[in-house]
Amino acid sequence: MESICPVVGPLVPPATITYLSNGVSGSLRLGLSCSLKSRSLCKSNRVFTESKNPEIDFSDPDWKTKFQQDFERRFNIPHLTDIFKDLQPIPSTFCLRSRTPVSEDFADGYPSDAKWHGYINNNDRVLLKVIHYSSPTSAGAECIGPGCTWVEQWVHRAGPREKIYFKPEKVNAAIVTCGGLCPGLNDVIRQIVITLEIYGVKNIVGIPFGYRGFTDKGIKEMPLTRKVVQNIHLSGGSLLGVSRGGPTTKEIVDSMEERGINMLFVLGGNGTHAGANAIHDEVRKRRMKVVVVGVPKTIDNDILLLDKTFGFDTAVEEAQRAINSAYIEAHSAYHGVGLVKLMGRSSGFIAMHASLSSGQVDICLIPEVPFHLHGPHGVLRHLKYLLDSKGSAVICVAEGAGQNLIQKTNAKDASGNMILGDIGVHIQQEIKKYFKEIGIPADVKYIDPTYMIRAVRANASDGILCTVLGQNAVHGAFAGYSGITVGICNTHYVYFPIPEVISYPKVVDPNSRMWHRCLTSTGQPDFI
């Protein structure tokens, strides 16, 4: 499908990396906004000017046009007609104006006396960047070219299309959830099933326990209907279960071919999406009429280009309970210190937002901002000042923060992620040791609500997000798009090519207004 508008993307040539994600191995061609060697300079997908981008010749009067054309090429989402040139669409069976249940009589579309203006045009686009930075020194500036040149950057709008590329009665849909738990998984599963049935799909299955469910003979697929999923959103976790590790891409596609699956919906984070993209590439290589659609699932909110991912709002809200408990414990004790560790392997979004929203946190520590515990400008010296001046203090730390202060284990989990040291326990021990050495009593209460937070049901905000993401995943699949993921961008729902959102994790920009707001709220200094 041809894209007509320029869209955002990286400035350097795409790279090829080898990955191991949830046991799915292979190579993936990624478009990186910054080279892997200079990742520390581009933590927020920031685009730098001339000296950092030798691939762009800013003296060329047509550089902007060429830049936009490159955007268009990379953000043009894959479609079935790229492989099957003669594939003809049929009228959509999705129309809420008609209340007649879908049946074989309406397999080619609903009869209607009036046109229903509820469809999305394939050429509809959403603007990716909405701030025109006038200077590279503006807070959080993402600049292209000298002087922060404005370049319109457009991405595909999500939603139901007037023409579809699958007859519902011939669809065999499958849903799989991978990685760890996250609030909202059941909400997304439920909406995918409900929307598929509205299209007229009869054959829907869940693949239990992640990718391993495709090949493990002891795991049986789970038939899904609206009756089965009707109330699953009322509880946390995943109806289908989750796991890390699993078979190879070839084994997964072999299983899909054997089962006759031609629509696969994959719920997971960066690693899971890398696996989904590898599956998409393999089915294309085999010329199978199959679509693979992802729904980004990460409690850490660390997926590139998206406003937020589902489960994040719930995590921040649930974290308030732990922070409030830490505050009460600290405030009720003589020289009390409440220490809360929250999730966030490589990004501190949960810790930052939880600290900002609670108004009870005095020190917020995240992976993106280095800090010292000891020394005249260290965390412990500031903690002493807080106890002297306030009598108590609350510290919120992300699990990936301060890993340079802990001895590395070099161990990895089944997804290939480095197993982190426990920064919470380390800080707790260092606080006790420091105050004992200086002869001042300190009553430290450590709270780690990690698994409590991710196991709860989605709140109202995430419930709405999950509902729309699940619906749009199905709309994208019926529209013939594959190798895509669905997300929210500038309050609108869009489709992205998977490689563009998994280049590297999104992280907190220490120069962003949100981090500055957090610092204003806590009143903490730099700990360097």
Side-chain angles (χ1 to χ4, degrees):
M1 301 291 286
E2 290 297 319
S3 170
I4 64 167
C5 298
V7 284
V8 73
L11 294 178
V12 298
T16 300
I17 65 170
T18 300
Y19 60 83
L20 176 65
S21 57
N22 291 316
V24 181
S25 59
S27 62
L28 182 65
R29 189 169 178 268
L30 300 178
L32 302 181
S33 294
C34 312
S35 68
L36 294 174
K37 292 182 180 179
S38 61
R39 183 175 296 176
S40 61
L41 297 176
C42 50
K43 287 185 174 180
S44 64
N45 198 25
R46 179 172 302 172
V47 180
F48 291 86
T49 51
E50 188 169 3
S51 62
K52 297 291 191 297
N53 290 288
E55 300 297 326
I56 300 177
D57 181 8
F58 292 109
S59 64
D60 184 349
D62 295 326
W63 77 263
K64 186 174 178 180
T65 299
K66 294 176 180 178
F67 191 65
Q68 290 177 320
Q69 289 173 344
D70 184 56
F71 288 160
E72 179 180 351
R73 176 184 58 81
R74 286 181 297 99
F75 276 78
N76 180 37
I77 54 181
H79 194 270
L80 284 174
T81 54
D82 298 339
I83 303 297
F84 303 98
K85 304 295 185 181
D86 298 328
L87 190 61
Q88 295 299 313
I90 61 174
S92 178
T93 55
F94 181 86
C95 178
L96 297 182
R97 173 167 295 237
S98 173
R99 293 292 181 252
T100 306
V102 173
S103 67
E104 293 183 2
D105 296 334
F106 301 107
D108 293 325
Y110 286 112
S112 179
D113 295 329
K115 189 69 175 177
W116 182 57
H117 297 291
Y119 296 116
I120 300 298
N121 190 293
N122 281 336
N123 293 325
D124 285 355
R125 297 292 184 271
V126 172
L127 193 60
L128 186 63
K129 303 294 181 183
V130 295
I131 299 178
H132 183 183
Y133 295 100
S134 61
S135 167
T137 60
S138 297
E142 300 178 17
C143 292
I144 300 172
C148 279
T149 304
W150 172 256
V151 179
E152 291 185 350
Q153 304 164 354
W154 300 92
V155 290
H156 292 250
R157 185 184 179 197
R161 268 54 176 177
E162 191 171 7
K163 300 289 186 180
I164 60 176
Y165 287 81
F166 288 91
K167 290 190 174 184
E169 68 272 18
K170 294 185 178 180
V171 169
N172 291 310
I175 307 170
V176 62
T177 57
C178 305
L181 291 180
C182 178
L185 279 170
N186 282 335
D187 300 64
V188 178
I189 294 169
R190 178 177 182 269
Q191 281 301 319
I192 290 175
V193 172
I194 289 173
T195 309
L196 283 168
E197 287 199 352
I198 289 176
Y199 269 94
V201 177
K202 304 294 185 183
N203 302 312
I204 311 168
V205 298
I207 306 297
F209 303 112
Y211 286 132
R212 70 172 65 249
F214 280 102
T215 57
D216 192 319
K217 299 302 182 182
I219 300 176
K220 303 298 182 184
E221 64 184 28
M222 180 185 300
L224 298 176
T225 64
R226 181 166 191 150
K227 185 177 181 180
V228 171
V229 303
Q230 185 63 45
N231 295 313
I232 63 172
H233 63 300
L234 301 179
S235 61
S238 169
L239 172 71
L240 303 178
V242 295
S243 73
R244 302 186 188 277
T248 65
T249 304
K250 179 182 180 301
E251 290 172 331
I252 291 173
V253 177
D254 286 345
S255 176
M256 290 174 60
E257 199 165 11
E258 182 180 338
R259 300 169 191 245
I261 295 171
N262 52 11
M263 274 190 191
L264 177 63
F265 299 94
V266 181
L267 284 58
N270 277 303
T272 300
H273 271 65
N277 196 69
I279 294 170
H280 159 75
D281 288 341
E282 180 66 18
V283 298
R284 283 195 139 199
K285 179 181 176 182
R286 301 189 190 188
R287 296 186 61 82
M288 297 165 58
K289 189 188 174 186
V290 173
V291 291
V292 181
V293 178
V295 181
K297 177 234 66 174
T298 166
I299 202 171
D300 294 341
N301 194 39
D302 60 352
I303 301 291
L304 283 175
L305 306 176
L306 305 184
D307 290 358
K308 64 179 178 179
T309 51
F310 73 83
F312 174 69
D313 275 354
T314 305
V316 172
E317 182 177 308
E318 196 67 18
Q320 304 302 298
R321 302 176 188 272
I323 291 174
N324 187 56
S325 296
Y327 172 79
I328 293 173
E329 288 284 353
H331 193 66
S332 302
Y334 178 67
H335 282 184
V337 178
L339 175 60
V340 179
K341 185 185 77 172
L342 300 175
M343 296 185 75
R345 290 184 57 86
S346 59
S347 61
F349 287 105
I350 294 178
M352 177 178 68
H353 282 254
S355 298
L356 186 60
S357 59
S358 74
Q360 297 172 317
V361 174
D362 300 290
I363 299 173
C364 178
L365 305 174
I366 61 175
E368 297 87 342
V369 180
F371 61 90
H372 290 151
L373 285 177
H374 300 277
H377 304 293
V379 172
L380 297 176
R381 180 67 63 88
H382 182 63
L383 183 58
K384 180 180 180 298
Y385 163 77
L386 291 171
L387 296 187
D388 290 341
S389 59
K390 294 178 55 182
S392 63
V394 176
I395 303 172
C396 180
V397 58
E399 63 178 322
Q403 290 299 305
N404 60 305
L405 306 176
I406 310 174
Q407 184 175 1
K408 291 182 171 58
T409 63
N410 293 323
K412 295 184 178 181
D413 63 21
S415 297
N417 300 316
M418 187 70 68
I419 295 177
L420 302 177
D422 195 328
I423 185 62
V425 171
H426 179 74
I427 292 177
Q428 178 192 32
Q429 294 172 345
E430 290 299 306
I431 291 173
K432 291 181 176 180
K433 180 181 177 183
Y434 172 78
F435 282 98
K436 183 178 180 180
E437 289 176 349
I438 63 176
I440 297 177
D443 189 346
V444 185
K445 296 296 192 297
Y446 176 46
I447 299 175
D448 180 357
T450 299
Y451 295 105
M452 293 175 65
I453 287 177
R454 75 177 198 171
V456 301
R457 62 172 291 192
N459 66 9
S461 175
D462 273 327
I464 294 171
L465 177 60
C466 292
T467 294
V468 183
L469 291 176
Q471 291 176 1
N472 281 325
V474 176
H475 294 322
F478 265 100
Y481 297 118
S482 182
I484 64 168
T485 194
V486 58
I488 187 169
C489 174
N490 289 323
T491 73
H492 296 280
Y493 292 87
V494 300
Y495 296 132
F496 286 117
I498 289 177
E500 295 299 328
V501 300
I502 62 172
S503 301
Y504 52 89
K506 180 178 73 173
V507 294
V508 174
D509 178 3
N511 191 44
S512 66
R513 287 297 303 130
M514 190 58 75
W515 177 244
H516 292 169
R517 292 171 186 135
C518 185
L519 295 180
T520 300
S521 175
T522 62
Q524 70 190 63
D526 292 332
F527 296 118
I528 296 296

